[in-house]
Amino acid sequence: MTPSTIDPERLEGWNRPPIIEPDGEGDLLEVAMGPHHPSTHGVFRMDLALDGERVIRLKPVFGYLHRNHEKIAETVSYLATMPYTDRLDYICSLTNNWAYALAVEKLVGQEVPERAEYLRVILGELTRAQNHASSIGFLLQEMGASGTPLMYAFREREKILDLFESLTGSRMMCNYMRFGGCRVDASPVWLDAVRKVVAGLPAFVDEFERFLSGSEIVMARCQGVGILKPELAINAGVTGPMLRASGVNYDIRKVDHYGIYDRFKFRVPLGDHGDIYDRYMVRILEIRESIGILEQALKGIPGGPVMDPKAKIRNFRPKPGEAYGRIEAPKGELGFYLISDGGPNPYRYRVRPPSLINLTVLEDMCLGSNVADVVLIFGSVDIVLGEVDR
Amino acid sequence: MKTVEEIKTAIEAAVPGVGLTIIPNPGPSGQHSLLLAPEHAASVAKFLRDDAEFTLDFLSNVSGVDWPDKEIAEKVKVTRQVTKTVDGEEQSVEETVEEVRKHVQPGFLEVVYHLYSVAKKHGPVTLRMRTINRSDQVELPSLTPIWRSAEFQEREIFDLYGVVFVGHPDLRRLLMWDGFKDHPMRRDYVEPDDYEYEPTPHDSVLLKAKAHQAAVAGRESAQ
Amino acid sequence: MLGEGILKGLAETAKNFAGSFVSAERMITVQYPEERIAPMEAARVFPFLVYDSKHPEDSLDWEAGMRCVACQICEKECPPKCIYIEKSKDKKPDFVGKMQIYPARFDIDISVCMSCQICVEVCPFEAIKMDTQFELATDDRFGALLLDRKELAKSNEYYHHIHPTEAAEVDARLAAEKAKANAKVKAAADAAVAKAATQPAVPAAKPAEGNKQE
């Protein structure tokens, strides 16, 4: 173990987690929560120091799912990395594909046909809807509502996954986007199926809200718990629904206008308090906005090719250079940083994982609260370990 | 958003004596970057974060890059005097010869920071820092005190590349375990001999299999 | 009133519970393995090798009709390197009648394969396609999960059966290619005939026509 170079308590001026003083009675209890803990969404460990029920210290421990994705990508061709990106955040493989394709398109200056852009928006927003639905389901599961809310969310997710399967061939490992377009075209039958599912989504969100939003238990457990201040959220690089729940208006779809997002009308839901309830509410409202985008995209989708005919699939060798491309993935800002030296595989391939960086503030949010709330706060961050550890 | 040249001028006006170099990006993305001298990195970072015009309050991405020692072979035309026998007489003639000169470009580790502004909604500004070499002088100042989002990412670079961030409050390995020795993202990293049987090894796996079998045979003959 | 939200939530669950008896929308689980849903047309599991056969009912032609020419592109492009190919020493005619090398050995380790379909995308000969068969569990870690070319060979009719739309497109494309190749051979032969007509000599040989059924 390498010792810290500077004791954090002596370091002034940085946004360090607050120091909680134990109340002096008895010893601290050290608990290793995880890696095999049902609430950790995979293999993740938190080293807790407890004073009674209160959390005095929390140190996240990573690496149980570390596969060195970045190294693998540097040894295989640009195309062969695409299926590996599915396995980062395996709940939202299509947005991973999109972010990687966007970064490579920036690297080579590749154009994407109109229809492919529309398909990407449709698939991206479907991904966002199903990710938020299942993340709320998992949050409620961790709150003790075993099964029911999660199963309602999964029922809806199932319909969206069926759409993914009938278009891309796989439910979760879609491997669909390519540099300069998409792999296969969507048939009119498929688009009609999407319209049908999208038409049914508002009823599902209404039902979900009637079921949960007003529930006294949900409010008691979530309101005022795990508060994240906006200044700290920005400084710690928190992105996605978590940042917006703290009241910071920053949505990359609105800021970068990547793809064709400047054509759609949608609002960015913002929270007020930055607590768990706000994160829950922001996700619900984002599903509603996604439905709006989907309706506009399904109305406006043009005909034409889905792949730029000039785009290369095999023997793809970008000219030397570098590019950083990012998108608003359901969990936050997903970025890919690529350096090409002119060879068939990237010289440097870096993933900016939103799940990992959103966990920077986990300790700040949990300190001083009860152990039972740690589970909830952790659930409200919405992470996937495949992306945290890569 | 301002160009790199304008940013450079603004930083030079605000932080006197700062050593800034523009690293052009030959690709079509046009994201040129600024190379910082490590000793001024903290003040430059503070300026970029707090200056009203830039307000780069959001550090999005920190990545390490490994540039190993590179042997560069150049063809140089050399003109020199050669004594030759022309028509039975010894003469001094100028002759141009092509010579291949090799020199080693020393390697270094590089850390790249991508900055955005949440307040002004612009970006990215790319900053780079380089270590002196790859072996013993690998210290760089940590930017975690200025942007907290660097906390885990700098730990990851320390873990996978071996850059030591001076001033990082909690510099431990992030993904590999504490007892691990090497830095796996370095380009000269040698994988441990962990080959397990595979029915059809080929390409790199075959090399690995052969190395493994040789090592096993060596161990057996030693016993 | 405290508890109102919970009661409203319980009303929702009650609606769902009662609804699951009458509405198929609310009862979407399938009792696998007693109940099965047919795999989707686009579904992909593991790759197989396509062969053309005159007698699809028995699989006698699997070796002769195999479309693969052992070009090894899929082996090179495969991200997890699960394909292993050995080229043959001799040649045999392919679907347009051209003499081609064939795979003497073609193995796919499906314990390594990640079903990404890149081999299908890069294959210029339409020789490798994705299967929809997913119940492949075995108790042998190495032998049974390494599929050789005989286990991988499936007839074109089987391909039509699992991916009808895609297979029809592929057949049309192959037929067009073959017609083009035949036209080329014919044009060359015609030119030879014309040449022979100007200088009367031995009659030109009739071009060999690949009449293999597509």
Side-chain angles (χ1 to χ4, degrees):
Chain A
M1 185 166 160
T2 320
S4 308
T5 41
I6 290 184
D7 180 14
E9 284 160 32
R10 280 198 289 124
L11 195 76
E12 279 309 308
W14 74 291
N15 267 311
R16 60 168 161 69
I19 296 161
I20 307 274
E21 294 297 334
D23 53 14
E25 294 264 320
D27 293 338
L28 291 187
L29 179 66
E30 302 260 349
V31 178
M33 202 163 156
H36 300 290
H37 189 280
S39 82
T40 56
H41 296 221
V43 273
F44 172 76
R45 194 174 102 214
M46 291 177 262
D47 282 347
L48 303 173
L50 302 176
D51 175 35
E53 273 283 304
R54 268 196 327 150
V55 179
I56 299 293
R57 199 178 66 238
L58 185 153
K59 289 286 170 216
V61 180
F62 307 97
Y64 292 100
L65 207 60
H66 179 51
R67 301 147 283 176
N68 222 344
H69 171 76
E70 293 177 6
K71 186 93 179 177
I72 297 172
E74 284 169 22
T75 55
V76 297
S77 70
Y78 282 86
L79 172 67
T81 303
M82 189 57 92
Y84 283 118
T85 63
D86 292 335
R87 282 130 180 107
L88 285 171
D89 174 358
Y90 39 77
I91 308 274
C92 335
S93 67
L94 281 159
T95 48
N96 299 343
N97 285 181
W98 192 357
Y100 177 52
L102 191 87
V104 176
E105 281 153 12
K106 269 198 177 158
L107 184 67
V108 295
Q110 171 74 51
E111 296 286 314
V112 182
E114 192 89 329
R115 188 177 169 83
E117 290 279 24
Y118 270 89
L119 278 174
R120 285 181 180 190
V121 168
I122 291 170
L123 291 166
E125 294 305 320
L126 282 173
T127 305
R128 195 182 314 279
Q130 60 99 353
N131 174 71
H132 285 351
S134 50
S135 95
I136 294 168
F138 281 121
L139 179 69
L140 267 292
Q141 169 99 348
E142 282 151 16
M143 213 178 283
S146 34
T148 316
L150 181 63
M151 284 306 130
Y152 289 179
F154 266 35
R155 190 180 62 198
E156 219 53 35
R157 176 172 179 258
E158 189 60 33
K159 292 177 191 161
I160 295 173
L161 290 190
D162 278 350
L163 291 176
F164 289 170
E165 189 182 2
S166 63
L167 179 65
T168 70
S170 188
R171 291 155 49 83
M172 287 170 81
M173 306 297 145
C174 297
N175 182 20
Y176 179 64
M177 315 234 173
R178 290 289 176 268
F179 322 128
C182 298
R183 200 185 68 220
V184 286
D185 197 359
S187 65
V189 181
W190 186 80
L191 287 172
D192 284 338
V194 178
R195 285 189 187 101
K196 211 177 136 209
V197 170
V198 170
L201 274 176
F204 156 72
V205 184
D206 290 343
E207 186 189 274
F208 217 50
E209 277 219 77
R210 279 200 301 277
F211 179 35
L212 299 170
S213 296
S215 169
E216 281 81 1
I217 300 176
V218 174
M219 289 202 266
R221 292 291 312 270
C222 293
Q223 285 179 344
V225 177
I227 291 175
L228 176 62
K229 292 263 177 297
E231 303 79 44
L232 174 64
I234 296 171
N235 192 260
V238 172
T239 43
M242 265 188 86
L243 179 68
R244 292 191 284 275
S246 294
V248 183
N249 186 356
Y250 194 70
D251 188 319
I252 296 165
R253 292 175 291 175
K254 287 274 190 199
V255 176
D256 279 13
H257 297 298
Y258 64 91
I260 48 164
Y261 271 114
D262 46 351
R263 297 187 198 175
F264 303 115
K265 266 183 76 178
F266 64 99
R267 295 174 301 166
V268 179
L270 295 179
D272 241 357
H273 312 91
D275 57 4
I276 301 178
Y277 194 76
D278 275 9
R279 275 168 226 145
Y280 159 79
M281 222 48 223
V282 163
R283 292 205 171 97
I284 290 269
L285 291 172
E286 276 194 11
I287 302 180
R288 291 193 187 276
E289 294 304 317
S290 287
I291 297 168
I293 298 173
L294 279 167
E295 280 164 354
Q296 294 170 49
L298 286 165
K299 213 173 276 166
I301 184 165
V306 290
M307 194 72 193
D308 188 357
K310 284 192 291 258
K312 262 182 139 178
I313 288 290
R314 288 189 52 231
N315 297 327
F316 182 79
R317 283 165 184 265
K319 290 198 181 73
E322 61 172 59
Y324 179 65
R326 57 175 196 163
I327 68 158
E328 180 73 34
K331 296 193 164 58
E333 174 191 329
L334 176 64
F336 281 83
Y337 174 55
L338 299 163
I339 301 181
S340 164
D341 60 350
N345 37 337
Y347 183 81
R348 176 73 176 106
Y349 166 99
R350 151 94 182 152
V351 189
R352 186 236 185 244
S355 297
L356 172 70
I357 296 165
N358 286 356
L359 284 177
T360 311
V361 290
L362 181 68
E363 184 174 9
D364 303 69
M365 293 192 290
C366 291
L367 288 186
S369 54
N370 293 342
V371 195
D373 289 339
V374 169
V375 173
L376 271 195
I377 295 166
F378 180 70
S380 75
V381 181
D382 183 19
I383 61 150
V384 159
L385 261 297
E387 188 175 70
V388 173
D389 291 342
R390 280 157 295 136
Chain B
M1 190 66 215
K2 294 183 159 191
T3 61
V4 213
E5 287 80 10
E6 285 165 350
I7 298 169
K8 186 176 175 236
T9 332
I11 298 174
E12 275 167 348
V15 186
V18 64
L20 280 181
T21 324
I22 293 177
I23 308 284
N25 175 11
S29 73
Q31 295 167 345
H32 307 292
S33 49
L34 283 170
L35 179 67
L36 302 184
E39 58 272 21
H40 294 291
S43 42
V44 171
K46 233 185 211 120
F47 166 72
L48 288 175
R49 186 189 65 178
D50 298 334
D51 183 65
E53 206 174 337
F54 293 111
T55 336
L56 294 164
D57 46 8
F58 170 43
L59 169 63
S60 165
N61 178 38
V62 188
S63 45
V65 189
D66 182 17
W67 300 96
D69 296 347
K70 207 155 84 180
E71 194 174 71
I72 296 175
E74 274 179 311
K75 273 190 184 164
V76 192
K77 280 194 178 155
V78 188
T79 319
R80 56 183 159 196
Q81 299 283 327
V82 191
T83 328
K84 267 191 180 172
T85 317
V86 184
D87 305 330
E89 279 180 64
E90 287 220 333
Q91 272 184 348
S92 179
V93 189
E94 273 202 356
E95 198 186 44
T96 316
V97 202
E98 267 202 356
E99 224 179 55
V100 178
R101 284 189 188 168
K102 281 184 186 168
H103 65 96
V104 176
Q105 190 186 5
F108 52 84
L109 300 167
E110 191 176 43
V111 183
V112 187
Y113 294 83
H114 288 90
L115 301 170
Y116 285 86
S117 171
V118 170
K120 299 251 163 159
K121 308 223 174 352
H122 59 184
V125 172
T126 317
L127 303 180
R128 314 178 97 91
M129 281 196 279
R130 288 175 182 172
T131 62
I132 296 164
N133 59 25
R134 297 171 71 247
S135 48
D136 52 347
Q137 286 171 299
V138 288
E139 284 90 15
L140 284 180
S142 165
L143 296 187
T144 307
I146 293 147
W147 292 287
R148 175 92 185 275
S149 62
E151 189 183 344
F152 286 167
Q153 305 191 63
E154 283 182 347
R155 267 179 73 184
E156 187 184 326
I157 294 165
F158 165 71
D159 181 357
L160 303 181
Y161 284 93
V163 179
V164 175
F165 289 94
V166 180
H168 192 287
D170 186 19
L171 198 63
R172 287 177 292 141
R173 284 188 179 271
L174 183 83
L175 297 168
M176 308 304 281
W177 55 99
D178 285 333
F180 191 77
K181 282 281 179 302
D182 212 341
H183 304 291
M185 278 300 282
R186 288 205 186 183
R187 296 188 84 81
D188 50 5
Y189 171 71
V190 183
E191 282 178 58
D193 181 17
D194 60 351
Y195 171 78
E196 282 176 38
Y197 172 76
E198 201 167 298
T200 54
H202 54 291
D203 294 353
S204 59
V205 184
L206 183 62
L207 296 178
K208 217 170 156 182
K210 276 183 183 159
H212 172 81
Q213 277 142 14
V216 169
R219 269 201 301 276
E220 272 165 9
S221 64
Q223 276 168 8
Chain C
M1 191 192 81
L2 190 69
E4 203 186 326
I6 298 177
L7 288 178
K8 269 189 189 160
L10 285 176
E12 271 325 301
T13 39
K15 219 172 8 179
N16 267 287
F17 175 68
S20 64
F21 286 100
V22 284
S23 140
E25 278 279 290
R26 288 185 195 274
M27 191 65 206
I28 54 161
T29 43
V30 172
Q31 299 297 323
Y32 178 82
E34 288 83 25
E35 236 181 292
R36 278 159 193 272
I37 323 174
M40 288 192 189
E41 208 188 311
R44 54 183 149 93
V45 184
F46 290 121
F48 68 91
L49 296 172
V50 188
Y51 68 86
D52 296 302
S53 170
K54 287 189 188 100
H55 318 283
E57 56 284 353
D58 47 40
S59 48
L60 291 173
D61 291 345
W62 70 270
E63 199 172 358
M66 197 170 278
R67 289 182 188 169
C68 178
V69 298
C71 67
Q72 290 180 310
I73 291 175
C74 54
E75 186 185 19
K76 223 172 80 196
E77 295 284 331
C78 175
K81 304 275 175 229
C82 69
I83 305 178
Y84 180 72
I85 299 172
E86 262 172 35
K87 286 183 172 195
S88 65
K89 296 274 182 321
D90 54 330
K91 290 187 175 185
K92 69 176 181 60
D94 71 350
F95 72 102
V96 286
K98 210 166 124 195
M99 293 305 278
Q100 289 279 20
I101 290 168
Y102 61 93
R105 191 169 165 199
F106 194 117
D107 294 339
I108 294 183
D109 190 346
I110 60 167
S111 63
V112 177
C113 176
M114 62 178 184
S115 314
C116 65
Q117 212 180 19
I118 280 181
C119 50
V120 179
E121 257 169 86
V122 297
C123 180
F125 300 95
E126 313 285 359
I128 187 163
K129 296 289 166 197
M130 295 307 274
D131 207 340
T132 54
Q133 175 64 251
F134 58 91
E135 288 154 318
L136 298 158
T138 115
D139 55 2
D140 182 1
R141 157 69 184 82
F142 293 110
L145 291 177
L146 184 75
L147 303 186
D148 63 15
R149 60 191 181 126
K150 181 153 194 236
E151 287 163 303
L152 288 167
K154 305 264 167 75
S155 69
N156 195 21
E157 281 67 25
Y158 176 77
Y159 179 38
H160 271 271
H161 175 68
I162 56 171
H163 303 300
T165 331
E166 194 190 299
E169 276 167 27
V170 166
D171 272 6
R173 197 155 55 233
L174 284 180
E177 247 171 65
K178 191 171 164 178
K180 219 165 132 192
N182 278 348
K184 225 172 175 178
V185 172
K186 201 150 183 248
D190 284 351
V193 170
K195 208 174 166 192
T198 49
Q199 338 166 307
V202 267
K206 210 169 175 267
E209 273 184 47
N211 283 335
K212 210 160 56 173
Q213 191 198 325
E214 284 297 326

